[in-house]
Amino acid sequence: MKRIITVFGATGAQGGSVAKALLEDGTFCVRAVTRDTCKPAAKKLKEAGAEVVAADMDNKESLEAALSQAYGAFVVTNFWEHFSKDKEITQGKHIVDLSKKLGLKHVVFSGLEDVKKLTGGKLEVLHFDGKGELEVYFRECGVPMTSVRLAYYYSNFLTFKPQKSKDGKTYELVLPMGNVPMDGISVEDLGPIVLNIFKSPSEYIGKDIGVSAEKLTVAEYAAIMSKVTGKTIIDAKISPEAYGKLPFPGAEELANMFKFYWMKPDRDPELTHKLNPKTKKFQQWFEENKDAYKDL
Ligand code: NAP
């Protein structure tokens, strides 16, 4: 009998990558969680060999069936669906409590630092802090857990594309990092990392792993974009304070995250490449996605 791993967020970016890697490898059975088993991503998971189950992190009863008989779980909570630290914590705690009750042997949790605690309250990053509190709660409850703390997704560069400068001649990359290198990763590379963590529990239980392909400055990201697109793309040199005032939902929250990135959180490209030797560096990812920048 293969051991079952329940994969939360299996229809999304992180969980989708994890489900794919586990299914391709075949060591574990994948139980994929979604709130809507009829959506196309859920159907695809079923076709690929996953058991697809309906559960909602807001509903503890629905989660128990999703976790029962499971050996382990990959857990990702989605702050950006509701923008609430409290809600994210409540959802995560439901899963921690059930993991304890049902005796799961290994949970890989998509965590992040509790910035508020680390900075003595000087800086709050709500979508980090809730995950940091959950990391502590997992451990206080004695659930065997590995936290994977992901760097900035490269796919964020598809949402936040370089902007045409005022003179219309160049493009500006609006990333408030000054000259401080920022870690990045293709979220599609997470799956094999999590698979290898599940395959070596004694090595990774109790650890927090900063997942990153490499660290580049804004100027370096822009230089790669320029080289691949043939356009002149430069650092907009925006401050985190000015970024926080940009007119889109979550700008201030992201500005606070960039302020934390200035403190160079512990991300480990060497371990990341050890866990997934095919992890793409930014240039490779950008070349593979250059069609999305055709209209620049
Ligand atoms: P995503 O692609 O938007 O997918 C979200 C997933 O969460 C979906 O599969 C969705 O499933 C599931 N989900 C949401 N609410 C649920 C609920 N109440 N019950 C059950 N499932 C639920 O998100 P993602 O990118 O994989 O993960 C988002 C998280 O990544 C955020 O918390 C963010 O802070 C973190 N993160 C992001 C970055 C970045 O650079 N973007 C970096 C590090 C960490 P259904 O809709 O099918 O039910």
Side-chain angles (χ1 to χ4, degrees), residues 257-295:
M257 173 189 79
F258 289 118
K259 284 181 194 164
F260 179 60
Y261 283 172
W262 280 68
M263 295 164 66
K264 299 189 181 169
D266 187 9
R267 304 286 178 264
D268 190 342
E270 203 180 311
L271 179 55
T272 301
H273 286 275
K274 182 184 155 197
L275 285 162
N276 179 4
K278 290 188 178 155
T279 298
K280 289 174 191 131
K281 292 193 173 179
F282 183 64
Q283 174 143 356
Q284 187 186 350
W285 178 88
F286 194 75
E287 278 168 358
E288 288 175 10
N289 287 275
K290 68 176 181 211
D291 282 356
Y293 298 85
K294 269 198 304 223
D295 298 338

Side-chain angles (χ1 to χ4, degrees), residues 3-4 26 54 87 116 147 193 224 234 260 287 296:
R3 291 169 292 173
I4 298 167
K87 186 162 181 169
K116 187 177 179 189
S147 179
I193 293 170
I224 289 170
I234 55 169
F260 179 60
E287 278 168 358
L296 280 192

Side-chain angles (χ1 to χ4, degrees), residues 15 31 63 78 80 107 126 145 218 233 251 255 267 271 283 295:
R31 185 181 288 160
L63 295 172
N78 188 10
W80 298 109
V107 174
L126 302 178
M145 186 275 279
V218 189
I233 300 170
R267 304 286 178 264
L271 179 55
Q283 174 143 356
D295 298 338

Side-chain angles (χ1 to χ4, degrees), residues 8-16 33-37 39 41-42 55-59 62-63 74 76-82 87-88 91 110-112 127-128 131 148-156 185 187 254 257 261:
F8 287 91
T11 58
Q14 292 194 29
V33 177
T34 173
R35 288 162 295 179
D36 176 6
T37 55
K39 70 192 325 191
D56 188 329
M57 286 190 240
D58 293 328
N59 177 335
S62 75
L63 295 172
F74 171 74
V76 56
T77 47
N78 188 10
F79 173 88
W80 298 109
E81 191 162 308
H82 42 71
K87 186 162 181 169
E88 185 166 34
Q91 291 180 335
S110 182
L112 285 168
H127 71 291
F128 276 53
K131 294 180 181 74
V148 284
R149 296 171 167 175
L150 264 76
Y152 193 76
Y153 300 175
Y154 290 150
S155 51
N156 296 336
I185 184 89
V187 66
L254 286 181
M257 173 189 79
Y261 283 172

Side-chain angles (χ1 to χ4, degrees), residues 15-221:
S17 168
V18 171
K20 182 170 179 280
L22 266 58
L23 285 165
E24 283 172 5
D25 174 74
T27 304
F28 301 98
C29 277
V30 172
R31 185 181 288 160
V33 177
T34 173
R35 288 162 295 179
D36 176 6
T37 55
C38 296
K39 70 192 325 191
K43 286 187 181 153
K44 271 196 188 162
L45 283 160
K46 204 169 178 186
E47 281 161 22
E51 176 195 359
V52 179
V53 298
D56 188 329
M57 286 190 240
D58 293 328
N59 177 335
K60 207 168 174 181
E61 285 70 44
S62 75
L63 295 172
E64 182 145 1
L67 287 164
S68 69
Q69 310 295 325
Y71 159 82
F74 171 74
V75 178
V76 56
T77 47
N78 188 10
F79 173 88
W80 298 109
E81 191 162 308
H82 42 71
F83 288 64
S84 161
K85 173 180 161 181
D86 289 344
K87 186 162 181 169
E88 185 166 34
I89 291 174
T90 303
Q91 291 180 335
K93 282 189 170 176
H94 286 155
I95 296 175
V96 179
D97 294 343
L98 285 166
S99 301
K100 178 72 184 167
K101 178 178 162 189
L102 299 168
L104 266 69
K105 300 285 183 294
H106 192 180
V107 174
V108 178
F109 171 56
S110 182
L112 285 168
E113 291 85 351
D114 184 344
V115 178
K116 187 177 179 189
K117 194 170 163 194
L118 278 176
T119 60
K122 287 200 184 101
L123 181 61
E124 279 185 78
V125 188
L126 302 178
H127 71 291
F128 276 53
D129 298 349
K131 294 180 181 74
E133 287 192 30
L134 284 169
E135 286 181 350
V136 171
Y137 189 68
F138 265 111
R139 295 197 169 119
E140 279 174 0
C141 292
V143 175
M145 186 275 279
T146 307
S147 179
V148 284
R149 296 171 167 175
L150 264 76
Y152 193 76
Y153 300 175
Y154 290 150
S155 51
N156 296 336
F157 288 112
L158 296 169
T159 311
F160 300 105
K161 287 185 181 161
Q163 302 289 305
K164 208 168 213 169
S165 60
K166 282 196 189 107
D167 64 10
K169 289 182 190 149
T170 57
Y171 290 84
E172 294 183 345
L173 188 55
V174 186
L175 198 64
M177 285 302 299
N179 295 322
V180 179
M182 184 187 81
D183 289 276
I185 184 89
S186 166
V187 66
E188 289 165 9
D189 288 330
L190 176 66
I193 293 170
V194 171
L195 168 67
N196 283 322
I197 291 170
F198 276 127
K199 283 184 167 179
S200 299
S202 57
E203 205 171 333
Y204 296 112
I205 283 172
K207 300 240 165 84
D208 301 323
I209 297 172
V211 177
S212 161
E214 64 178 331
K215 302 165 194 290
L216 297 176
T217 61
V218 189
E220 287 168 333
Y221 283 111

